[in-house]
Amino acid sequence: MEAGSSLLPEASCFTHGHVRIWSTAAIYNAANPSSTELRQLASMSYHSGTIHTVRFSSSGKFLASGADDKIVCVYTLDLNAPPHAATFGTNEAPPVENWRIFRRLIGHDNDVQDLGWSYDSSILVSVGLDSKVVVWSGHTFEKLKTISAHQSHVKGLTFDPANKYFATASDDRTVKIFRFTPPGPNSSAHDQTNNFMLEKTISAPFVASPLTTYFRRCSWSPDGNHIAAANAVNGPVSSVAIINRGSWDGDIHLIGHEGPVEVCAFSPRLFSKHPIEGLPRGANGQLSSNLVTVIACAGQDKALSVWITSNPRPLLITQELAVKSISDLAWSPDGKNLFVTSLDGSITTVVFEEGELGHGVSMEENEKALAKFGGGRRGAGMVEGPEGLLLEDRSREGEIRGVEGRMGALMGDITGTTAPPSNGDVQPTRPNNLATNGISSTRNDQTGSHDEPKQLDNKDPHAEKLERLKQRVTITKDGKKRIAPLLVSSSATGESSLPRTQLMASMSNAAGTVNDGPKTILDLSKPFDGLPKGGLAALLLGNKRKLAPSEGDDEGHLPKKIALASQHGATPILLNTLTGLTPANNKASDSGQTPTPEFIRPAVVNPSLLTSQVRLAVPRVRAHVISGVSDKVDQGTQTQSSTEAGLNGLPVPAGHADTVFEARNPTGPSPTGRQEDHEPARLAVTRSGQPLWQDFLPKSVLLLTGSPHFWAAACEDGTLYTWTPAGRRMINALVLESQPVIIESKDSWLLCVTAVGMCYVWDVNNLSAPHPPVSLAPILDIAAHSLQAHPTKAPAVTSARLNSEGRIVVTLTNGDGYAYSPSMFAWQRLSEVWWAVGSQYWNTADSSVGNLSSSVKQTERHQATANVSAGIIPYLERQTTNETLVRGKAYFLQRLVKQLLPREGFEGFESSVSIAHLENRVAAAMMLGAREEFKMYLYMYAKRLGAEGLKSKVEELLGGLLGSIYEDPLAAELQSTDPIPPPKDRNWENPTRRLCGWPRKELLKGVVLILGKHRDLQRITVPYSKVLKITEDGMDEDYAMDT
């Protein structure tokens, strides 16, 4: 049962399967004989069994009921006039209001015992005797998640008024606290996989609680500080346990009932002992005096008790209030009336006089009390005029388009939306910027002719193959012929329709949608071990080899010893030999002079290595070094890195490379007998097995790299050579201070990292460098280790790469990812473990970069730079996740985060870190010039700001996007169709009309449409919508967004 106000009447349920809506005003005036108001407003009979619970949503739009027919019914009020006649064959009064069923939710296997709506009505949760907790979307009523955390019947549910947790009570004698993030209107079950996680299990007050109660209805206090849990025990006495928020413990029990307490309910209002008009207020406007809460308890003893937190004894106790056990309690919204239902079918109304419970305070005081827990529920707000309603409609249109696009993708419909025909001509349209048969749809028609469009071949390339597989005949062992079964995907593409891991480059895809909802932090409760049991040897040779026969072990004691050692989780060290596995023997440490390996030559120690604070490992001299470049992939993409070439001196094929660059170093003894005299290194370039050119170098080659523009080789004496694709030497040998350890190429750019941590970048074509050499020392924790007297092990460099503008991108073994900014002459950290454990938007399993559709028609000059730095940020975050899981470094960080969340002062921790992570992504995309990622992250950031209601950040963001496009007349010289040099539009204050390659007007319009649905922000967004003429012209197809 749930009570309402004069606008929301009371609902009650009875054992004969009817839900009845009552008028509270008529009940209050029952003592007035002249009152003619009807008490019953409506009656619904959609259940086939006993109804156990009914709950109004917080918004008042829906009413939900649960019964023992395993069904949850959701009703909504139809504004049309109800039928004037009652149902035929019944003595029901004609309905006053027209309540109709909206959804029937099927998800339980047994009776539904309790229901609950979140305080923002975003989710509906149902619990039942099947031990399940089912979470439904409050927008679409799709089942989001089924939680099977309890071991017995679940009989109670309550929601945190700060909208952070909900609690369930079960016959397994526990109360479980679940943390959740309110899902969005378009959220699906897959989006909520990591949502609704178990936070705490409370069992101490319920160890000996009886199992004879039919309900365990608990309640959360309106200030969010306490949970009142029914059916607790204090020794042999039944009680109500008061559980403290955050620590989830408590030593307070409400004792006064003779039988088990089945239901308790906090009043929704806070009360004060004195009238609030004369009470002093603090600096934040909150009442300085202590406010109190009121709670009502009832159960099997048919008694009702009302408690107030300022008194250790109950305010009142009424005995024999009903004939049978009391089943539910509900307060009126003003906290002055209490409705009591019983299993005997009666409803009792308790009316408190003014001041009897105290002096009620306004709901604003509730919001202020909840603010310290990150609450602050935002209501619908007032509309800022008709322009606000129009802007809200435009924003909803974008969301509907996003849902339709997502459903079309799930159902295998990859075709674009078809524009309505004009003038009777039906013309099929394609999504913007998609290529058909290798021709871009944005190409201008130079001839101006109006030829008939050619018929396109829409045959599925996989259909013929699927047909052959369907009819494949196999012969069984007994000689019979059978057609082999085949699982065919519903999308008819031969690919799984389930989400898959992907790291896609930035490209156009009009049918894609952006999955930018917040994600829960990774579960790193256990360190990740990437190797199987038995280590690397088991990974290569398998772990099912037999033990080798050993001398003196005829009775087979060795396998028993190994099995005994493996009982407690230990892994015996075994050696793989030709005859089988043998136990490893203890070996004494080597003494005396250690022989020098053949691949290391005596050399003079470089002085730069002695004085440098950074020392990187130098690659050994290998007999064969190989690198390749493929003509079928993007320019500058290497199919085989020089650091991956050759194991133990054996050559490795360069994958599917079209052109192979290889170097062969001398391996034999010196022809003259002197160590300094040795054969030169031979270098050769071959294409498809045919030699193109050959050259020789006096020193052995350490590393190779290449691109379609040049080839480069690094030698052991610290020199670097470059050649043109035809083998002509481009420049003299570049002499470096130490040996190169990493060389990479991208287009015409060449990167070299030396053993002392210096990074060199050259534009080989123009014989120039974008910046002076830069050291890796700042990103190798040099600031933390510089005060120590001895050398300290620092994070290792796992990769060093270039983007198409010559920016250095480095990843380390600690999970951090960096990029060097030539304009600021400093390293910038783009990815780190902190975001992985603290941000709700950390998501590397479903990269949405490839799901963006460019809404601006680009020229050929713009297309040439459209994919600058595309995919770098997802790549860095994926590297962070891999290093975090493999090395287990985030385990302790996540433990720290989990301990901080319940503490006072850290209520907004997750929200703050998530917003900071999005801001970090936006800044990184702008610095790198990743235009597609910048737009996606900007829209995600705008959505989160709108959801949090951060007015100051929203106003600053819109002002930064607007720039001076409507103020500075000089900006007209830079039209939106003119290509802008990359560095000029990479900051918010730039005077151009573009921002990170996008027209400012388009980005501003997209952000205003995203924020338009939030009424509390319309005072800020409506003026921008007027300037952009969004509400006047409507939604233009060029600015259609997938939200």
Side-chain angles (χ1 to χ4, degrees):
M1 180 197 70
E2 179 147 320
S5 63
S6 58
L7 297 178
L8 295 179
E10 174 209 356
S12 63
C13 53
F14 293 97
T15 57
H16 47 64
H18 284 264
V19 176
R20 302 183 186 275
I21 309 292
W22 303 89
S23 171
T24 54
I27 295 175
Y28 299 153
N29 295 330
N32 185 5
S34 61
S35 176
T36 59
E37 298 183 36
L38 297 176
R39 295 187 180 181
Q40 180 173 310
L41 302 180
S43 176
M44 295 87 74
S45 178
Y46 293 99
H47 286 285
S48 59
T50 302
I51 301 176
H52 298 149
T53 176
V54 287
R55 295 288 185 266
F56 278 107
S57 64
S58 302
S59 61
K61 183 178 180 181
F62 297 108
L63 171 68
S65 62
D68 59 8
D69 59 359
K70 314 172 190 176
I71 304 296
V72 175
C73 291
V74 180
Y75 312 91
T76 184
L77 178 61
D78 192 347
L79 299 180
N80 297 326
H84 295 284
T87 306
F88 179 76
T90 65
N91 56 356
E92 294 283 345
V96 179
E97 296 180 347
N98 188 12
W99 286 81
R100 59 180 179 85
I101 190 167
F102 185 74
R103 291 286 190 275
R104 290 170 59 90
L105 310 181
I106 302 176
H108 284 276
D109 301 327
N110 210 328
D111 300 4
V112 179
Q113 288 294 102
D114 205 357
L115 296 169
W117 296 84
S118 63
Y119 275 75
D120 60 353
S121 300
S122 61
I123 60 172
L124 168 67
V125 178
S126 58
V127 299
L129 300 185
D130 55 358
S131 307
K132 293 181 181 178
V133 179
V134 183
V135 183
W136 313 86
S137 170
H139 307 280
T140 63
F141 295 101
E142 173 191 359
K143 186 197 300 184
L144 297 180
K145 193 170 187 178
T146 299
I147 306 173
S148 300
H150 285 285
Q151 306 300 320
S152 186
H153 309 322
V154 188
K155 297 181 177 179
L157 171 72
T158 184
F159 267 90
D160 171 25
N163 224 37
K164 302 293 183 182
Y165 304 96
F166 65 84
T168 57
S170 169
D171 274 351
D172 60 5
R173 295 188 170 100
T174 63
V175 168
K176 294 184 181 293
I177 312 296
F178 296 90
R179 170 181 285 273
F180 74 98
T181 301
N186 300 333
S187 297
S188 62
H190 171 65
D191 300 334
Q192 306 303 315
T193 302
N194 294 326
N195 202 355
F196 312 107
M197 305 303 293
L198 179 63
E199 178 79 10
K200 185 70 175 181
T201 298
I202 306 168
S203 57
F206 317 101
V207 174
S209 63
L211 303 178
T212 58
T213 58
Y214 202 61
F215 301 104
R216 289 175 179 257
R217 304 194 197 273
C218 43
S219 180
W220 212 303
S221 63
D223 57 1
N225 287 320
H226 305 97
I227 301 175
N231 201 12
V233 291
N234 187 8
V237 183
S238 298
S239 66
V240 174
I242 305 299
I243 302 170
N244 298 321
R245 182 195 186 100
S247 60
W248 310 116
D249 58 3
D251 53 357
I252 300 178
H253 289 261
L254 305 182
I255 301 174
H257 287 266
E258 298 177 358
V261 178
E262 295 192 15
V263 55
C264 49
F266 273 101
S267 172
R269 290 296 184 94
L270 296 174
F271 292 88
S272 174
K273 296 181 180 180
H274 308 284
I276 61 175
E277 287 77 10
L279 294 179
R281 294 182 177 270
N284 58 351
Q286 190 174 359
L287 293 175
S288 58
S289 61
N290 294 328
L291 301 178
V292 298
T293 57
V294 177
I295 182 175
C297 308
Q300 290 185 355
D301 59 356
K302 312 166 194 174
L304 171 68
S305 63
V306 179
W307 304 72
I308 189 168
T309 53
S310 59
N311 288 332
R313 297 180 178 276
L315 186 65
L316 65 90
I317 297 179
T318 59
Q319 302 288 343
E320 301 296 330
L321 188 63
V323 179
K324 294 185 179 181
S325 300
I326 296 176
S327 60
D328 207 352
L329 300 172
W331 289 87
S332 61
D334 58 3
K336 297 180 180 179
N337 305 284
L338 178 64
F339 299 90
V340 184
T341 62
S342 172
L343 296 181
D344 59 8
S346 63
I347 301 177
T348 305
T349 305
V350 180
V351 180
F352 294 92
E353 296 181 357
E354 186 68 29
E356 191 172 358
L357 299 176
H359 299 273
V361 299
S362 63
M363 292 299 295
E364 294 180 357
E365 300 300 329
N366 290 39
E367 301 295 336
K368 293 176 182 178
L370 295 173
K372 62 180 180 180
F373 301 120
R377 292 173 287 133
R378 296 161 48 225
M382 296 297 294
V383 181
E384 296 292 332
E387 292 83 2
L389 287 176
L390 292 175
L391 180 59
E392 190 173 347
D393 292 340
R394 300 292 181 264
S395 179
R396 299 293 181 187
E397 289 178 13
E399 288 191 356
I400 294 175
R401 289 189 181 184
V403 176
E404 291 176 350
R406 180 180 302 175
M407 291 302 298
L410 292 176
M411 299 303 294
D413 181 14
I414 61 174
T415 59
T417 57
T418 303
S422 59
N423 300 330
D425 297 331
V426 180
Q427 299 178 354
T429 60
R430 298 189 303 271
N432 291 339
N433 298 334
L434 282 181
T436 305
N437 295 337
I439 303 175
S440 175
S441 63
T442 61
R443 184 189 61 181
N444 296 329
D445 190 358
Q446 302 295 339
T447 60
S449 60
H450 300 279
D451 299 335
E452 292 294 328
K454 297 180 180 180
Q455 294 294 331
L456 300 178
D457 187 9
N458 294 327
K459 286 186 177 181
D460 188 354
H462 303 277
E464 185 177 352
K465 181 179 178 181
L466 290 176
E467 289 299 328
R468 291 198 306 268
L469 292 175
K470 289 179 183 178
Q471 304 299 327
R472 186 170 55 185
V473 179
T474 58
I475 301 177
T476 61
K477 294 181 179 180
D478 53 0
K480 297 182 179 180
K481 294 183 178 181
R482 294 289 185 269
I483 297 179
L486 174 67
L487 177 61
V488 182
S489 172
S490 61
S491 61
T493 60
E495 299 179 356
S496 173
S497 60
L498 296 177
R500 58 186 178 181
T501 304
Q502 56 180 352
L503 184 66
M504 305 177 65
S506 177
M507 60 186 200
S508 299
N509 181 9
T513 56
V514 180
N515 181 14
D516 54 3
K519 301 297 179 181
T520 309
I521 57 179
L522 296 172
D523 186 10
L524 303 172
S525 57
K526 295 182 179 179
F528 175 76
D529 186 6
L531 297 178
K533 186 177 181 180
L536 185 60
L539 180 65
L540 298 176
L541 303 175
N543 53 6
K544 297 199 175 183
R545 299 192 68 197
K546 296 182 179 180
L547 293 171
S550 60
E551 299 180 1
D553 188 28
D554 298 334
E555 298 181 0
H557 294 296
L558 184 59
K560 295 181 181 179
K561 292 181 180 179
I562 295 176
L564 182 62
S566 304
Q567 286 183 354
H568 302 289
T571 302
I573 302 176
L574 303 176
L575 300 179
N576 281 285
T577 63
L578 296 177
T579 57
L581 299 176
T582 59
N585 298 323
N586 295 329
K587 182 180 179 180
S589 60
D590 296 332
S591 59
Q593 185 177 1
T594 303
T596 303
E598 294 181 357
F599 55 83
I600 297 181
R601 301 193 186 98
V604 178
V605 178
N606 193 328
S608 63
L609 293 176
L610 295 177
T611 59
S612 173
Q613 294 180 319
V614 177
R615 300 181 187 180
L616 302 180
V618 179
R620 66 176 184 175
V621 178
R622 290 163 292 183
H624 193 192
V625 186
I626 188 171
S627 177
V629 171
S630 176
D631 296 337
K632 298 179 181 179
V633 296
D634 294 338
Q635 294 185 352
T637 301
Q638 290 181 241
T639 59
Q640 178 70 23
S641 174
S642 57
T643 58
E644 299 173 356
L647 288 174
N648 300 325
L650 298 177
V652 176
H656 301 284
D658 297 310
T659 308
V660 178
F661 186 28
E662 58 181 340
R664 295 185 181 273
N665 295 317
T667 57
S670 174
T672 63
R674 297 194 312 168
Q675 191 171 9
E676 59 269 19
D677 298 333
H678 54 81
E679 297 178 2
R682 293 179 297 166
L683 294 91
V685 175
T686 59
R687 177 187 292 273
S688 302
Q690 300 296 325
L692 297 182
W693 59 269
Q694 187 178 14
D695 202 350
F696 298 90
L697 294 178
K699 298 295 183 180
S700 296
V701 176
L702 296 178
L703 302 169
L704 297 176
T705 187
S707 74
H709 299 274
F710 67 92
W711 300 102
C715 297
E716 63 175 344
D717 61 347
T719 55
L720 198 65
Y721 297 85
T722 57
W723 296 265
T724 63
R728 181 172 54 89
R729 294 208 180 190
M730 303 180 67
I731 54 177
N732 302 99
L734 300 175
V735 182
L736 307 177
E737 77 282 351
S738 59
Q739 291 87 353
V741 297
I742 298 176
I743 58 172
E744 291 287 339
S745 60
K746 177 71 174 178
D747 295 339
S748 63
W749 298 99
L750 175 62
L751 166 67
C752 178
V753 181
T754 64
V756 296
M758 296 300 294
C759 297
Y760 294 84
V761 178
W762 299 284
D763 185 351
V764 178
N765 288 349
N766 298 323
L767 302 181
S768 61
H771 52 77
V774 57
S775 175
L776 289 176
I779 66 175
L780 296 177
D781 293 343
I782 193 68
H785 303 307
S786 60
L787 300 180
Q788 301 182 10
H790 303 286
T792 306
K793 184 179 179 181
V797 178
T798 57
S799 68
R801 304 193 178 190
L802 290 169
N803 71 345
S804 57
E805 292 183 347
R807 303 287 181 92
I808 309 174
V809 180
V810 178
T811 60
L812 304 181
T813 53
N814 60 5
D816 293 350
Y818 297 87
Y820 185 75
S821 174
S823 60
M824 302 187 69
F825 298 102
W827 290 97
Q828 295 187 11
R829 185 187 292 114
L830 307 187
S831 179
E832 55 183 316
V833 183
W834 175 252
W835 305 125
V837 299
S839 173
Q840 297 172 331
Y841 287 89
W842 188 265
N843 176 25
T844 55
D846 184 16
S847 177
S848 303
V849 176
N851 294 334
L852 284 177
S853 59
S854 299
S855 57
V856 172
K857 298 182 176 65
Q858 299 180 354
T859 62
E860 294 181 358
R861 288 182 294 178
H862 287 160
Q863 286 284 4
T865 60
N867 292 330
V868 172
S869 303
I872 289 182
I873 300 175
Y875 164 77
L876 293 178
E877 293 191 352
R878 186 177 64 175
Q879 290 295 108
T880 301
T881 301
N882 292 340
E883 295 294 339
T884 297
L885 294 178
V886 171
R887 302 179 185 276
K889 292 185 177 181
Y891 170 64
F892 297 101
L893 257 182
Q894 192 182 49
R895 287 183 57 186
L896 174 64
V897 170
K898 286 187 175 181
Q899 293 176 1
L900 290 178
L901 290 178
R903 295 185 184 178
E904 185 174 354
F906 292 89
E907 295 80 13
F909 175 81
E910 283 183 324
S911 176
S912 299
V913 174
S914 300
I915 293 176
H917 180 216
L918 291 178
E919 293 171 346
N920 182 80
R921 280 178 167 181
V922 172
M926 179 180 292
M927 190 268 290
L928 293 171
R931 62 190 309 273
E932 297 289 346
E933 295 172 11
F934 174 77
K935 182 178 180 182
M936 182 188 70
Y937 296 146
L938 178 66
Y939 286 173
M940 293 170 61
Y941 180 57
K943 286 184 180 181
R944 188 56 185 257
L945 293 184
E948 296 289 341
L950 302 178
K951 297 182 180 180
S952 58
K953 288 192 175 184
V954 168
E955 191 169 2
E956 189 176 80
L957 175 63
L958 295 177
L961 290 174
L962 181 64
S964 58
I965 58 177
Y966 288 100
E967 298 176 3
D968 189 2
L970 298 178
E973 298 178 1
L974 300 173
Q975 300 296 330
S976 59
T977 57
D978 295 335
I980 302 300
K984 289 188 177 180
D985 63 346
R986 301 289 177 81
N987 62 83
W988 295 95
E989 302 299 330
N990 77 84
T992 68
R993 291 192 175 188
R994 304 184 71 87
L995 189 63
C996 197
W998 294 98
R1000 285 179 177 268
K1001 186 176 181 180
E1002 179 181 354
L1003 296 177
L1004 181 61
K1005 191 167 187 176
V1007 172
V1008 170
L1009 285 173
I1010 290 174
L1011 299 173
K1013 64 180 179 180
H1014 301 286
R1015 292 186 176 178
D1016 55 341
L1017 300 175
Q1018 286 183 355
R1019 187 166 295 179
I1020 303 174
T1021 56
V1022 166
Y1024 287 91
S1025 67
K1026 291 181 180 178
V1027 173
L1028 297 172
K1029 300 180 180 180
I1030 296 177
T1031 57
E1032 297 178 9
D1033 301 336
M1035 287 282 288
D1036 190 358
E1037 288 298 326
D1038 288 341
Y1039 295 99
M1041 300 179 307
D1042 294 330
T1043 56

